[in-house]
Amino acid sequence: SVSWYGVCLGKRGGAGMDSSSSSSAAGLGSVDPQLQHFIEVETQKQRFQQLVHQMTELCWEKCMDKPGPKLDSRAEACFVNCVERFIDTSQFILNRLEQTQKSKPVFSESLS
């Protein structure tokens, strides 16, 4: 869903990516705005793909005992539950990080 997409991007924004990809986009102030927007969109796509890969790997390991020609009802229920818990956890972490950020003073303000 769209809200999950936003959660995924927010969660993986800093910790999951190396800083060179986000800092390179931020250092493009003099570059064409369309190019900068394209880079930001592609970076978001990459973050989303990484998160989907992480979720797929986690749920596959947890739910798939013996791959076969059909997905049995137990494995299907496990996958549904795993994905739902993954989304819930992502949302919880994002909310917790936002609360932590709001409660801490900005570093430059604390120096004055």
Side-chain angles (χ1 to χ4, degrees), residues 38-100:
F38 173 78
I39 291 170
E40 289 170 1
V41 168
E42 291 302 310
T43 301
Q44 288 178 348
K45 286 179 186 178
Q46 181 183 13
R47 290 175 183 158
F48 180 73
Q49 288 172 346
Q50 285 178 331
L51 198 60
V52 168
H53 176 73
Q54 180 186 9
M55 179 183 61
T56 302
E57 184 177 357
L58 175 77
C59 292
W60 180 267
E61 291 296 321
K62 183 178 265 326
C63 298
M64 200 57 160
D65 295 330
K66 297 177 186 173
K70 284 182 75 177
L71 191 64
D72 64 14
S73 60
R74 187 199 62 76
E76 184 178 353
C78 180
F79 278 115
V80 168
N81 188 46
C82 181
V83 170
E84 288 176 354
R85 297 303 66 81
F86 190 90
I87 294 169
D88 290 345
T89 302
S90 297
Q91 182 67 49
F92 175 80
I93 291 170
L94 180 62
N95 289 340
R96 184 74 171 147
L97 288 173
E98 286 176 354
Q99 289 173 356
T100 303

